Every structure is written in C-alpha cells, then in structure tokens.
Amino acid sequence: MSFKAVDRQRLFVGGSWAEPDGGYYAVVDPASEETVGWAPEASRDQVHAACAAAREAFGPWSGTSPEERAAVLGRAADIIRGHLVPYAELAQAETGATTGTARGMQVGVGAARFRRYARVEPAEWAIPPQINEAGPMGKAGVMGALAVRQPVGVVTCITSYNNPWANPAGKIAPALAMGNTVVVKPAPQDPLSVYRMAEALEAAGAPPGVVNVVSGRSVEVGEAAVSSPDVDMVSFTGSTAVGQRIAEVCGRDMKRQLMELGGKGAAVVLDDADVGSAVAGIGTTFSFYSGQICTAPTRVLAQRAVYDRLVEQLAAYAGRLKVGDPRERDTVVGPLISAAHRDRVEAYVELGRKEGAVVVAGGERPSLDTGFYVAPTLLADCTNDMRVAREEIFGPVVVVIPFDDEDEGVALANDSDYGLIDYVWSGDVARAFRVARRLRAGGVGVNTVGRNMEAPFGGFKKSGVGRDVGSYALHAYSEVQAIVWPG
C-alpha cells in the first residue's frame, strides 16, 4: 500500500473522538486482501449519545444564518480538495476503485458537493408568497400566506459502500446547509474515509454535535441510529430489502425518509440506434465501480434488428477491458468489495446459465493471486422472467433481452420491481423522448449514461422514496411551514 494504514480509528461523537465500546474490526483492501486499518465498533449507547449530541446542537446550528453554514461547507470543500491524493489513496484501498475513479468520482465529487451547497441561494429556502383573493367571509377574509422552508431536525445518514465520499457528502452537505444536524452511519466495509470527512468538517469549524460518525458491523448500530427518539429523519442509500426495514421503523414514529434503493436499469436500444454509442454507454456497467452501482444499465432490451450486432460488440468490449490491480494505470475493472459479494455475483452468473442464458463473455474468475475479482460478464438470450433479469446483481454483469416492437420494449422495461434510472438509445431524438416519457423510472438517459447533478434523483416503485441532488436535496432535508396573516 502507498499510504499509511489507519491504526485504530475512533468514533466522532459530540465533537470528541471516542474509543468504541465494541472494540475494532479490520477493514480489508479488496484488491490486495491486506488490512487497510481498524474501524471502531460502536455500542447502542454510543449511537444514542451521538443522536443526543446532534439534538443538543440542532437549536444553535439551525439558528445560524445560511451564510455562516455555507462558509463551513466551503472551508470543508477546500480542505478535502487540499488532501485529494491521500484521501483518494485511502478510498481506493477501502473500495478497490481505480485511481481515476477514487480521485475524480469519489473524493473529487465529494468536495464538489460540499462546494455546491456552500452557495447561498435564498430562493431555495423560501417559496413565493401566495395571496388568496377571497376567503369564506368575503373580502374581510382575504389572507396573505408565506411558505418557508425549515430544517427537519436531526438526520441519520446511512451510506453505501460503493462511494464513501460522494454518497455521504450528498447527504451531509445539503442537510447541514438547511440547518439540520447529522449522525452518519457509514457502510461497514469502508468507513474510514467518512471519518476523514468528519475531520475536514471539524477543521472547517462545524460546531460540536453538528456532525457525528458512528460505525460498526453489527445490525444493532444501524438500528439504534434509526430508532433513536432524537432522530427526525433517515436518509438511506442501499438495498431495497434494508430500506423496507428502515421504512417500517420510520413509519411507526412518523419520521421523514429519503430512500435511494436498488435498481435494475433498463437500456432500451431501438432499431435506429447508434450501436457503438449504446455499447460504450452500457459497457460502463463493467468498469464503473465494477458494476457496483444502482444506476447502471444492467438490463439491456435490444430490438431484434440490432440485437446480434449489439451482443457481438458488447462481448468484444467486455473482452478488451483489463481486470486487475486498481492502482495500475491501465486497469479498467477493479475488484468487488468483498469475498462474500464476489461469491454472490458468481452465484448469479451460474444461476443465469441454469435459467438458459448464454454466457458470451466472462463467466469465469480472473486468474489473479489476490483480490475479489469477477470478469466482465455478458449474458445473452435472456428473458425478462429470469432472476438474473429481475434481481439486482450489483456487479459487472449485463443481461440482454430481445424485443420486437417499441410497445414490447416499453412493456419489458416497465415490467420490473425497480424504477431508478432507465436509458433509451435511438437515432431519432423525438422517438427517444417519446419512449422515455413512457418509462416508469425516476430518471431516463437519452443516448447517454451521464448524469446532470442538478436534476432530481430518485426512483419509482421499489427504487426509493423522495428526490435529492441540486436544489431538490435542500427540499428533501426541509419541512414546509406556512405563515398566514390578515391581508
């Protein structure tokens, strides 16, 4: 490893760095299988203490001006950017991301999100006044009304393992900008980077208790962070199954929720599409986070006129990608997060074979001495009722399903429990937009897999509840209050 391993990381509670009651556990580099560092295992009492600290800090922090809060976020962005290389090396060691991804998409995007919410935009805190012209008592009942945004309170942020910088920053920064305080429970596989984020916020001047970080492998840690009576809202990114359990707890106590859950993105490739462009976009599933991303176009629906060409070119594309040590400059596909997850992905590939899919690329474990690798895998001749086509695999695996006409393609795309982000490729932009409007997904990419980071992000169906990113994140971490007065 090129960085100094983290010896024993302490918890961050109420502005203090505390020894964990539950001891420490090893964080493992998924490429080398070496120990990256030792993460703290919080107890239930320590999680509750973090929530209580956030509750105590909420009043003073929410009472500060938006400009003061923005200044803290701006300084944090500068600190993170100033430590980009060591932070990226740690993130790479924890996640197995390639160097470009660790620097640009992990730490770089994390810093950019703090910078984004350091912009003070009053229009995002207030809603234009509403005047009703006549009330139940005629002109005497004319009332003025102003709707303003207020912070929700204490927000528990439970983050995903695939990006320990961009994902937590996308929760913490807008929540703090709106005047909330946070308790962050990072994914157990890669929590060390989130503690570096807490250090940056502390150095930037975030008052004690405004940001708290508690980690652990035990389910009890997350449960305590969700069920604490001091918590008003839970923001979660992860699997639909875990999201459903969190939602049950939130429902009992009427806690607000922001849920970004699983996906099985349909990529609808129409018969007039630029096949090369579609292949390049769909091929990112193999390389970007090694397929461990909910927005990936993992379920390809190809119209029969282009089906054979698409499968052939996707197979060739997958075969050209170098799988290996993410620290090597020419590596494109790094490891999966853990041995257990590698086994899970491999089990899905074998299941696909049994279901009748044809493995036209990959399907075998790369011959590497260490690391949790899965070769980019393409399963063709699939049907939409196969489990590999319906369930989120979360690895470098793409399934391809043929269809005859546009209506069938739309029906297949919508025949899913998920609805996060779908994609459409067509040479006719008007046709592509027409199809996009028929898709039951929170977002649709037209001839691209790119994201607009100001556009609302979230899912239909079992892919989540609520929207964030850009101004929508500020709205997500706020309540709307109506103030009414005589006209």
Side-chain angles (χ1 to χ4, degrees), residues 51 65 90 98 172 201 205 228 230 249 276 363 376 429 445 448-449:
C51 298
S65 69
L90 176 59
T98 61
I172 296 168
L201 283 160
S228 166
D230 286 312
V249 176
V429 174
T448 184
V449 293

Side-chain angles (χ1 to χ4, degrees), residues 18-33:
E19 293 291 331
D21 291 343
Y24 300 86
Y25 66 91
V27 176
V28 175
D29 184 327
S32 68
E33 301 184 46

Side-chain angles (χ1 to χ4, degrees), residues 26-49:
V27 176
V28 175
D29 184 327
S32 68
E33 301 184 46
E34 297 177 9
T35 297
V36 176
W38 296 88
E41 182 78 35
S43 66
R44 178 177 289 272
D45 287 345
Q46 287 179 311
V47 176
H48 284 163

Side-chain angles (χ1 to χ4, degrees), residues 130-273:
Q130 305 293 316
I131 304 295
N132 67 313
E133 295 183 356
M137 295 176 287
K139 289 187 177 181
V142 173
M143 304 290 287
L146 176 67
V148 297
R149 295 196 180 278
Q150 299 277 19
V152 177
V154 176
V155 182
T156 286
C157 303
I158 303 179
T159 67
S160 60
Y161 71 71
N162 58 354
N163 195 325
W165 278 94
N167 185 259
K171 299 178 185 296
I172 296 168
L176 296 187
M178 276 303 310
N180 302 284
T181 56
V182 298
V183 176
V184 187
K185 193 278 179 187
Q189 298 93 333
D190 50 10
L192 302 176
S193 290
V194 182
Y195 284 105
R196 302 291 80 74
M197 191 180 299
E199 287 177 352
L201 283 160
E202 180 185 33
V210 169
V211 177
N212 307 269
V213 184
V214 288
S215 58
R217 293 180 296 180
S218 170
V219 173
E220 181 181 70
V221 176
E223 289 178 343
V226 170
S227 63
S228 166
D230 286 312
V231 170
D232 301 292
M233 174 179 174
V234 177
S235 176
F236 171 70
T237 299
S239 73
T240 295
V242 174
Q244 288 171 321
R245 294 200 293 273
I246 291 173
E248 289 173 1
V249 176
C250 290
R252 287 197 293 270
D253 294 326
M254 298 304 293
K255 295 180 181 181
R256 300 296 177 262
Q257 305 166 43
L258 179 59
M259 298 282 184
E260 198 269 281
L261 308 177
K264 192 71 176 178
V268 181
V269 183
L270 298 168
D271 55 10
D272 59 352

